[in-house]
Amino acid sequence: MFNVAGKVLDRLMIHRIMHRVHTSAGLNSDHCGFIPHRGTVDAAMAVRGIIEENLKQTNCTAVASLDVRGAFDGAWWPFILHNLKELKCPRNLFNLSRSYFSDRTASLRGNTLKIEKPVTMGCPHGSCSGPGFWNTFYNSLLNMDFSHRTRVNAFADDLLVLIRGKPSLYAENYAKQDLKKIENWARENKMHFNENKSNVLLVIKKTSGDNRTLNIYLNNKRLEQVAELKYLGIYFYSRFSFDRHVDYITGKCTTIINMLAKSAKLKWGLGHRALKVIYSGAIEPVLTYGAPVWEKALTKQNNLRKYQRVQRMMNIKIAKAFRTLSYEASCLLAAVRPVRLAVEEKVRNYKATHNNIE
């Protein structure tokens, strides 16, 4: 939607703004989206760490997942500029950003009709600066004065509010107070959280008998309480196990392999080289995504067998072998490492890069 020169200026502007913001430690550390050396796994690991710490202290955790209506289209420009001032953005970059947001219109053209409307919110589609401006917009929400029992985690427009309490009634009361603050913030900044798509999860120990229904409200509507919560592609269960995530991933990969089976027969169709490329580029990344978060789930033999069953299906296609082939033999004939080793590699690489281990 922009010409080349416009995109070059757009990228240069947001790079200089983000460099200034990061060097001054202006952004909240609980935000992981669109930030160098941080990703979805880091956000999910932070959530896991908070829940684990609460469980060690015999506290339950109420996890409220809030959905932003319109997402990037809901960023109000005057508030973005206000936050740039708060982050002490240099005057020349601030003036350039203010000019960037001025005199924008949305137009619709028909055969003989043209309609134009001034635009005052939303990160421009196709822009390089949209993610950076969204981070400055969301930063004030993460810096709010929440209670000492509350932690907030965000990745792009995905927002989790984690409240600890013992019993769960305490977590419910603190959640009501802090969600009211978030409602007021959204109202002041012309933003709306979709209460119909938001929900809440109560994470407790398996031996705990505190399994009451939470009455937490957003925009005067009670949030639906769920037994499992999907955050950044990883399922968190109310008993803090990742068995449901293993079922979801293995089911997804089984569907992909069954679709490939239509064109990868024993004596015709896709060859073993093409199938091996598909496995290494499309199936193994799905199987190992977020491994540092749910690695302990594979210590259960039941979950490990589910993963091995999926890999064996693909190995048989790669090796053009018969269905009676065992799992270990299929890995050898297909020249594919066992999925358990692939998961361990992901975990060790993550720990090495985040703990400065050689």
Side-chain angles (χ1 to χ4, degrees):
M1 302 297 287
F2 295 136
N3 57 33
V4 174
K7 283 198 172 185
V8 170
L9 177 60
D10 190 15
R11 184 174 291 276
L12 289 172
M13 175 183 68
I14 197 61
H15 275 194
R16 292 189 63 185
I17 292 174
M18 288 296 101
H19 174 73
R20 179 57 182 257
V21 169
H22 289 309
T23 52
S24 62
L27 288 181
N28 192 293
S29 59
D30 291 325
H31 200 295
C32 297
F34 314 123
I35 295 178
H37 311 299
R38 293 190 194 176
T40 55
V41 178
D42 298 285
M45 283 291 289
V47 172
R48 194 191 80 166
I50 294 170
I51 296 175
E52 282 183 339
E53 184 63 28
N54 292 342
L55 292 178
K56 286 180 182 178
Q57 300 174 4
T58 67
N59 289 313
C60 64
T61 307
V63 185
S65 174
L66 306 185
D67 179 79
V68 180
R69 180 175 295 176
F72 284 28
D73 293 335
W76 190 38
W77 296 346
F79 190 64
I80 293 177
L81 296 175
H82 171 75
N83 284 344
L84 288 176
K85 277 187 178 180
E86 293 293 324
L87 293 170
K88 298 180 180 180
C89 178
R91 180 174 297 180
N92 62 327
L93 295 176
F94 177 81
N95 291 335
L96 186 60
S97 301
R98 183 170 56 185
S99 174
Y100 179 79
F101 286 128
S102 63
D103 300 326
R104 286 190 176 272
T105 59
S107 61
L108 175 65
R109 295 176 181 269
N111 293 332
T112 58
L113 182 66
K114 179 182 177 182
I115 301 175
E116 286 191 354
K117 183 179 179 181
V119 181
T120 59
M121 61 172 51
C123 299
H125 289 228
S127 67
C128 303
S129 57
F133 282 134
W134 175 263
N135 280 357
T136 61
F137 177 82
Y138 233 34
N139 192 57
S140 62
L141 170 61
L142 302 179
N143 287 333
M144 289 177 61
D145 185 23
F146 295 109
S147 67
H148 67 282
R149 294 174 176 264
T150 300
R151 291 285 302 275
V152 180
N153 183 276
F155 186 92
D157 61 324
D158 292 314
L159 179 68
L160 285 189
V161 184
L162 300 98
I163 309 98
R164 61 180 170 88
K166 182 184 179 182
S168 58
L169 178 62
Y170 287 1
E172 178 184 305
N173 292 334
Y174 280 103
K176 289 178 180 178
Q177 298 174 17
D178 290 329
L179 288 186
K180 199 65 181 177
K181 296 178 182 178
I182 294 176
E183 280 184 36
N184 295 334
W185 177 89
R187 191 179 303 111
E188 291 173 358
N189 300 298
K190 301 185 184 298
M191 192 175 174
H192 188 78
F193 288 98
N194 190 348
E195 62 277 2
N196 295 320
K197 292 184 179 180
S198 302
N199 44 48
V200 63
L201 171 73
L202 178 63
V203 182
I204 56 177
K205 282 189 173 182
K206 295 181 180 179
T207 57
S208 174
D210 188 4
N211 197 18
R212 66 189 299 274
T213 301
L214 298 177
N215 295 308
I216 298 176
Y217 294 86
L218 180 68
N219 299 329
N220 297 321
K221 184 174 181 179
R222 181 178 173 275
L223 296 182
E224 178 186 1
Q225 185 171 345
V226 294
E228 56 195 26
L229 178 67
K230 185 180 181 182
Y231 180 59
L232 302 176
I234 299 175
Y235 279 89
F236 289 82
Y237 188 58
S238 59
R239 292 294 187 268
F240 198 54
S241 69
F242 294 95
D243 297 347
R244 176 68 181 89
H245 179 74
V246 171
D247 293 337
Y248 167 73
I249 292 299
T250 53
K252 183 177 180 180
C253 291
T254 300
T255 302
I256 297 173
I257 294 171
N258 288 334
M259 293 175 63
L260 283 173
K262 298 177 182 179
S263 57
K265 300 298 181 179
L266 192 62
K267 295 184 178 180
W268 61 271
L270 293 172
H272 68 277
R273 290 184 179 177
L275 289 171
K276 196 169 180 180
V277 170
I278 292 173
Y279 173 78
S280 60
I283 296 179
E284 186 178 89
V286 174
L287 288 172
T288 59
Y289 168 72
V293 181
W294 50 263
E295 57 168 321
K296 293 181 181 178
L298 291 191
T299 57
K300 299 180 181 179
Q301 287 300 315
N302 185 35
N303 291 333
L304 181 59
R305 281 195 295 268
K306 291 177 182 178
Y307 259 56
Q308 290 175 344
R309 191 179 303 120
V310 170
Q311 189 181 27
R312 177 179 169 274
M313 290 173 60
M314 192 62 189
N315 289 347
I316 289 174
K317 299 299 178 186
I318 295 173
K320 301 293 183 179
F322 292 105
R323 297 179 182 177
T324 55
L325 192 66
S326 67
Y327 170 71
E328 291 78 7
S330 71
C331 291
L332 183 63
L333 292 179
V336 173
R337 60 182 172 178
V339 66
R340 179 179 57 82
L341 297 182
V343 171
E344 288 182 4
E345 180 192 31
K346 286 273 187 178
V347 174
R348 292 188 179 188
N349 284 343
Y350 180 85
K351 291 179 178 179
T353 54
H354 286 73
N355 299 323
N356 295 323
I357 301 173
E358 293 185 1

